[in-house]
Amino acid sequence: MSVKFTADHEWINTANADAAVVGITVHAQDALGDVVFVDLPEVGKTFNKGEIAGVVESVKAAADIYMPVTGEVVEVNEDLRNDPALANTDPLGAGWFFKVKVGAPAELDGLMDATAYDALLKTL
């Protein structure tokens, strides 16, 4: 699995060459609590790395979802839109948020692998 992580607690899986899958980490969903709403980006919209691509709301708070790399959104998870709790029950699987066609592959090198992300979590 080719998963990288951001300091903002998003993950991106680049295993599929056509489109990378983006979601929130287990840490993020734990911090948010029960997710009750997701605002997903529009298919076809292009974002730069670090731009707000969506919002996730829980019973505790709302949080922005940041684009981990520059790219174009090619698909959103309609199942998640209909059942936001998937972000809690399966954040690294069925609870994915959107798929992106990576426009700047070199930006992936600036993201953390699982070991580096785990080290970051220990500092929080």
Side-chain angles (χ1 to χ4, degrees), residues 37-51:
F37 176 77
V38 293
D39 182 19
L40 301 173
E42 182 179 323
V43 171
K45 185 159 183 184
T46 300
F47 293 90
N48 291 319
K49 178 181 178 178
E51 284 188 317

Side-chain angles (χ1 to χ4, degrees), residues 38-79:
V38 293
D39 182 19
L40 301 173
E42 182 179 323
V43 171
K45 185 159 183 184
T46 300
F47 293 90
N48 291 319
K49 178 181 178 178
E51 284 188 317
I52 297 170
V55 176
V56 59
E57 294 182 14
S58 72
V59 294
K60 289 187 195 176
D64 293 326
I65 303 300
Y66 298 97
M67 183 62 79
V69 294
T70 299
E72 177 187 349
V73 175
V74 295
E75 185 179 344
V76 297
N77 187 350
E78 293 297 340
D79 290 339

Side-chain angles (χ1 to χ4, degrees), residues 92-107:
L92 302 176
W96 61 275
F97 279 59
F98 54 87
K99 295 182 180 179
V100 60
K101 183 176 179 184
V102 177
E107 291 176 345

